[in-house]
Every structure is written in structure tokens, then in C-alpha cells.
Amino acid sequence: MNERKVLIVDDEFAIRDMLRMALEIADFRCLEAENIHDAYTLIVDERPDIVLLDWMLPGGSGLELLRRLKRNDTTRELPVIMLTAKSAEDNVIQGLDVGADDYITKPFAPRELIARIKALLRRTSGGDEQERLQVSELVLEGESRRVFLGEDPLDMGPTEFNLLQFFMSHPERAYTRSQLLDHVWGANVYVEERTVDVHIRRLRKALQSPAHDYSDLIQTVRGTGYRFSSRGAGNR
Amino acid sequence: MNERKVLIVDDEFAIRDMLRMALEIADFRCLEAENIHDAYTLIVDERPDIVLLDWMLPGGSGLELLRRLKRNDTTRELPVIMLTAKSAEDNVIQGLDVGADDYITKPFAPRELIARIKALLRRTSGGDEQERLQVSELVLEGESRRVFLGEDPLDMGPTEFNLLQFFMSHPERAYTRSQLLDHVWGANVYVEERTVDVHIRRLRKALQSPAHDYSDLIQTVRGTGYRFSSRGAGNR
DNA sequence: CCGCTTTGTCACACTGTTGTCACAAAAACC
DNA sequence: GGTTTTTGTGACAACAGTGTGACAAAGCGG
């Protein structure tokens, strides 16, 4: 379900070819770059989840790219695996110093590479802090993925949870259905815009318990979309 | 103050010599073993912080020791770096599968080895106390590796125990299957994610006795994974 | 060498979730 | 009031996610 993007930075076609094949079998999506400049552009545009970086590259060594990545705050968390020839294992030390997370010497067994990629992704992906959001009695716990109304846990589906989480992190602001689809469903998913309405309804229903009714936190902004607000609606 | 013990397991005197020199410069204390038996004894007696394990050893291959270590619950967390000849890199895959945390091919630059040791120690330095965990009638004794429901001991496999121990030390929080694999199985083990489901089921089953049923402490978080919680689920 | 346990994987059953539709209700516009 | 546009609602079939029993391989203890 969670497709991972791997950026391959290597100037040898044969290597890229081999890597692409191995990675696609293991269900990764591949991006490729032959030089540092392309690599950097791709990183900024496509935001890959991991980078396989060859050491010797035209237009600057891999070390240079590595330094640049680790200096830039927006890409700091991007894990990097270095590819290096056996004869140049000294470079490894430099690389690990600068911030590569792992390395592998060419030639290598595809299975090993895959294993290392997966291990690295698991190791580095757990860093996201989940917050605890609260509006009066309504509490959303990101960590446990639960919502409480006072003491009682509320029952809702995953999509409704994501929707509520988004709303509670961006309150007092109207979003179009299209924007909600982008943020909650993901940018490259195509579903009907009216689907949002249905999930809004399900969320509203979930925000009602025998005791309380918080369903009007989700307000309709006619002609535009929806808004989450703890203050009154103030339209119509 | 925090002196680290490194156990070198290799039958070549020259290698041990070189390693010892490099490690002592880097302020580690060295233990040495020439064969598996000595190695195991030293591990039990001296409790080193990390093991450098040669692949080819008299009296059984390094793989064997590795298996033994990773099976034994008291030494499971001991980080292991494999030493292997370049000609035998295939072994690396086996080794990583069984639970080695890293590997390095001979000959290697001492500086690289030191870098890797430090990196590994940084990663795994969580010193885990063996504690006694309790949720209402359910008691987990880390020391004796037993679980009680009131007075009655519960019967479960090692993996189920580890899983429960992890859950009870991190309650009220949803984990993905991948995260559970990472924490309970180990970062470098590659098994199917659905395997987690099966062990969850076995654990749930183990949490039921004729008298009580604590199986709903393990809650399914649909679309995400599982959560251990003494409060209600909030989903189906 | 042989039972016994543990483990990872699979196929299948089952359940909740999802996106879409048709229609009702409401609001806006004339 | 009548018409058009927009949103709410219940139903539903397809689907993805999860529970479950069985099984073979591997480890363990004799």
C-alpha cells in the first residue's frame, strides 16, 4: 500500500538497470539520475524515501551531494546508502562521517541490497512525532490513533480519523473538496469530489454519542467545501 | 567512564592482534576467543557490549554461534558485526538474515571498523532493565520470562512473550506491523508482515484462560496495525 | 535418530471500509 | 412560487484488511 520511492544516482547504465530490476521486484518505485544536479532536482521534486548514491559521479563526487543533503534541513531525514567500489573502501569512512546511513560495495547481491534498504527504512521511518489534539471535550490521540469524547473512545474508520486529524490540525479554515482529497487521501489519488461529502457525513455521525453532539464542529461552507471550527458557524 | 567491552572471535592471531591494537586506541576493552565454545563462555561471563565474529571458525562456523546468540533471549540484544572474506560475501546474506547487525569484509581499514562499531553501539544502546509489568490481573515478569493471570502462569512461546513485553512497555500506542517487526523481531530480520498477525493471534489466544479473557487488551487498529491498551478500543 | 515445540507462510473465510449512486432536502437565484 | 444549484442521506457492491486453521521447515532435547 505504501509505495516507496528509491532514487538511484549512478552514471553507469548497467548498474542502474540491474538496480531498477531488483527494486521493482521488491515493489519499490525507481527514480534515476546520472549526475549530482539531476539527483538534487529529483530529490526536491519527487521526495524519494531513500537514495542509493554512487561514489564516483561526473560533475562532482557523491560526497559532495551527501554534504549538500545533510546540510539542507528539508532533506535531512533522507536516508542514504552509498555504493562504492571495493577498491575504494576508504571512502566509506568519509561517507559514514558525513552522514550516509549505510553503504554497500559493488558488486553486490540484490537480495542484500533489498534487505538493507528495508532495514534502513524501518529504522528511520519511526521518527514522526504524533501529537495530541484537543477541542473542549474532544481529544484526538495521534499516537494511539484514537479519538475520545471525554472518557469514551469514539468509533470511526481510518479515513474519518485522518480527516478529523487534518481538520483539527488546521482549524478555522475552509477547505475545498479538492484540497481535502489532496491532504487526506493523497495527492495522486483519483476519487470523486462528492466522496468527501460522504466521509464528512460519516465523521459527523461519529462525533455524536448518546451524551454529546460535536457534529457541528464540521461546518459546511456552501459553494466552497468544509471547515473545522470550535467557534460558531457564522454563515447562511 | 563508560568503558565498552568488545569480544573478538577469530582464530587468526594476526587479525586479533590488529583488532586489539585498533580497538584499544579507540578506547575499547578487548576480549578474545578463538573458537565458538570460548566465545560463548566469555559472552555469558563477561557480557561484552558488542561481538566481532569471524565467519570461519574451528569447531563450527560463526553462523552457528550467531544463531545461538539470537535464539537465546538473554543475549538476543547483543549486537554482532560479522567479519568475512571478500570471496564469501554470499554468507553476508545468511548472516544478516540470522540477526547480525552489520558486517565488514576482510581486509578492512581499522578506522572503518571503529566507525561501524560506534555507529552500532549508538543504535542499540538502549539498556533494558528487566522489569515487572502489570495491567490489572495480568503480570509479566521480565526476569523469569513468565506471565501470570492472577495466580495461574500462562503458556506462550518466546516470540509471544517478547511481543507482549514490548506491548506492555509501550501501551496506549498504535504500531504498524513493520514497527513491531523492527522492535520485537529485530531490525535486520526479514519476515512477512502478516507473520505479525499470526503471532498476535497466538498471543491473544494465550491471554485467555478458562476463567478470564484478556485478549482484548491487544486491539486491532484497522489500516495501521495493533495497539495494547487497557482502555477501550474505540474501533471495532 | 526421533518426537516435540516453535516459527513463518499460505489459503481461505470473514468483516469493516470505501467509493459511488440515486434520491431527498436545503439553499440560492430569478 | 418555481427553478436551478448545492449538499445531506441511505443503500450497496466491490474491495482491502484481518482472523483463522493447517502445514512444512527448523530447532531443541533426549
Side-chain angles (χ1 to χ4, degrees):
Chain A
M1 89 179 180
N2 231 339
E3 195 186 43
R4 303 293 210 156
K5 283 191 224 173
V6 180
L7 172 61
I8 305 167
V9 188
D10 198 317
D11 58 324
E12 289 178 60
F13 178 76
I15 298 270
R16 292 207 312 273
D17 211 36
M18 191 267 266
L19 286 172
R20 193 182 334 112
M21 195 176 307
L23 289 170
E24 280 173 2
I25 288 174
D27 219 38
F28 291 98
R29 228 184 86 208
C30 293
L31 308 169
E32 296 178 33
E34 295 189 41
N35 56 60
I36 287 192
H37 180 263
D38 290 358
Y40 201 77
T41 309
L42 274 174
I43 288 170
V44 173
D45 290 350
E46 298 277 343
R47 306 214 149 259
D49 299 289
I50 194 167
V51 177
L52 306 181
L53 178 60
D54 187 28
W55 192 252
M56 295 300 293
L57 287 171
S61 81
L63 181 59
E64 207 171 302
L65 179 61
L66 197 51
R67 284 224 177 85
R68 202 158 146 197
L69 286 181
K70 293 299 167 181
R71 214 172 27 230
N72 185 331
D73 287 320
T74 65
T75 54
R76 188 182 297 278
E77 294 305 324
L78 184 62
V80 175
I81 296 183
M82 287 194 303
L83 307 176
T84 176
K86 280 191 183 174
S87 55
E89 291 205 38
D90 273 352
N91 296 332
V92 166
I93 304 168
Q94 278 184 67
L96 290 178
D97 278 352
V98 176
D101 299 278
D102 204 347
Y103 81 100
I104 195 166
T105 55
K106 294 193 277 194
F108 45 81
R111 279 185 55 199
E112 186 196 336
L113 180 65
I114 302 292
R116 284 182 172 254
I117 290 178
K118 287 190 172 169
L120 196 52
L121 284 177
R122 273 197 314 233
R123 212 188 294 145
T124 55
S125 67
D128 46 348
E129 294 295 310
Q130 296 280 18
E131 37 191 349
R132 185 168 179 280
L133 301 162
Q134 176 158 13
V135 167
S136 78
E137 294 240 67
L138 183 69
V139 181
L140 182 145
E141 280 185 19
E143 275 207 344
S144 67
R145 284 190 71 83
R146 271 185 305 189
V147 183
F148 294 92
L149 210 51
E151 286 299 305
D152 316 314
L154 289 183
D155 181 30
M156 63 180 73
T159 307
E160 282 71 60
F161 181 89
N162 294 335
L163 192 55
L164 182 59
Q165 191 171 39
F166 176 75
F167 269 137
M168 291 182 79
S169 346
H170 304 86
E172 310 298 343
R173 169 167 176 176
Y175 288 93
T176 66
R177 294 171 174 76
S178 177
Q179 290 173 318
L180 290 173
L181 282 178
D182 270 2
H183 287 116
V184 178
W185 274 253
N188 41 21
V189 183
Y190 178 64
V191 290
E192 293 289 323
E193 292 206 339
R194 292 292 319 266
T195 300
V196 175
D197 297 29
V198 178
H199 282 278
I200 289 282
R201 175 178 153 269
R202 288 171 181 159
L203 177 54
R204 279 173 174 158
K205 184 179 271 182
L207 289 180
Q208 294 172 294
S209 80
H212 311 276
D213 182 357
Y214 277 64
S215 65
D216 45 7
L217 288 174
I218 315 284
Q219 296 155 7
T220 304
V221 184
R222 204 169 171 85
T224 302
Y226 298 93
R227 167 185 55 211
F228 181 91
S229 171
S230 50
R231 298 181 276 168
N235 53 9
R236 97 203 64 193
Chain B
M1 81 171 197
N2 229 342
E3 196 184 42
R4 301 293 208 160
K5 282 190 224 172
V6 180
L7 172 60
I8 305 167
V9 188
D10 198 315
D11 58 323
E12 289 180 59
F13 176 77
I15 299 269
R16 292 207 312 274
D17 210 37
M18 191 266 266
L19 285 173
R20 190 179 343 107
M21 195 177 307
L23 288 170
E24 280 173 359
I25 288 173
D27 220 35
F28 290 99
R29 226 184 86 208
C30 293
L31 308 168
E32 297 176 37
E34 293 188 44
N35 57 59
I36 287 191
H37 180 262
D38 291 357
Y40 202 78
T41 309
L42 273 174
I43 288 170
V44 174
D45 290 350
E46 297 278 344
R47 306 217 149 259
D49 299 288
I50 194 167
V51 177
L52 307 182
L53 178 60
D54 188 26
W55 191 252
M56 296 299 295
L57 286 172
S61 81
L63 181 60
E64 208 170 301
L65 178 60
L66 196 50
R67 281 225 179 85
R68 203 156 144 197
L69 288 180
K70 293 300 165 179
R71 215 170 29 233
N72 183 330
D73 291 306
T74 64
T75 54
R76 183 187 297 277
E77 295 303 328
L78 184 60
V80 174
I81 296 183
M82 287 195 304
L83 308 175
T84 176
K86 280 190 187 178
S87 55
E89 290 206 37
D90 273 352
N91 297 332
V92 166
I93 304 171
Q94 277 185 70
L96 289 178
D97 278 352
V98 175
D101 300 277
D102 205 347
Y103 80 100
I104 195 165
T105 54
K106 293 193 279 193
F108 44 80
R111 281 182 56 198
E112 185 196 337
L113 180 66
I114 303 292
R116 285 183 170 252
I117 290 177
K118 286 187 174 168
L120 198 51
L121 284 177
R122 232 181 294 133
R123 245 162 43 203
T124 59
S125 64
D128 45 344
E129 306 289 313
Q130 292 290 15
E131 30 189 354
R132 184 169 176 282
L133 301 162
Q134 176 158 11
V135 166
S136 77
E137 296 240 65
L138 184 69
V139 180
L140 182 143
E141 280 185 19
E143 187 104 11
S144 65
R145 291 190 64 83
R146 272 185 306 185
V147 182
F148 295 91
L149 209 52
E151 289 299 308
D152 318 314
L154 289 183
D155 183 32
M156 63 180 74
T159 305
E160 282 70 59
F161 180 88
N162 293 334
L163 193 54
L164 182 59
Q165 189 172 41
F166 176 75
F167 269 137
M168 291 182 78
S169 340
H170 303 86
E172 309 298 341
R173 167 162 184 168
Y175 289 93
T176 66
R177 294 171 174 75
S178 181
Q179 290 173 319
L180 290 173
L181 282 178
D182 215 10
H183 287 118
V184 178
W185 275 254
N188 289 309
V189 184
Y190 180 62
V191 292
E192 292 291 322
E193 293 204 340
R194 293 284 327 257
T195 300
V196 175
D197 296 30
V198 178
H199 283 277
I200 288 282
R201 174 176 156 271
R202 288 170 181 158
L203 176 54
R204 278 175 174 158
K205 186 178 271 184
L207 290 179
Q208 294 173 296
S209 80
H212 310 277
D213 182 357
Y214 278 63
S215 64
D216 44 6
L217 287 175
I218 316 285
Q219 296 156 5
T220 304
V221 184
R222 202 154 234 273
T224 301
Y226 298 94
R227 166 183 56 211
F228 181 91
S229 171
S230 48
R231 295 189 278 169
N235 50 12
R236 287 168 265 269

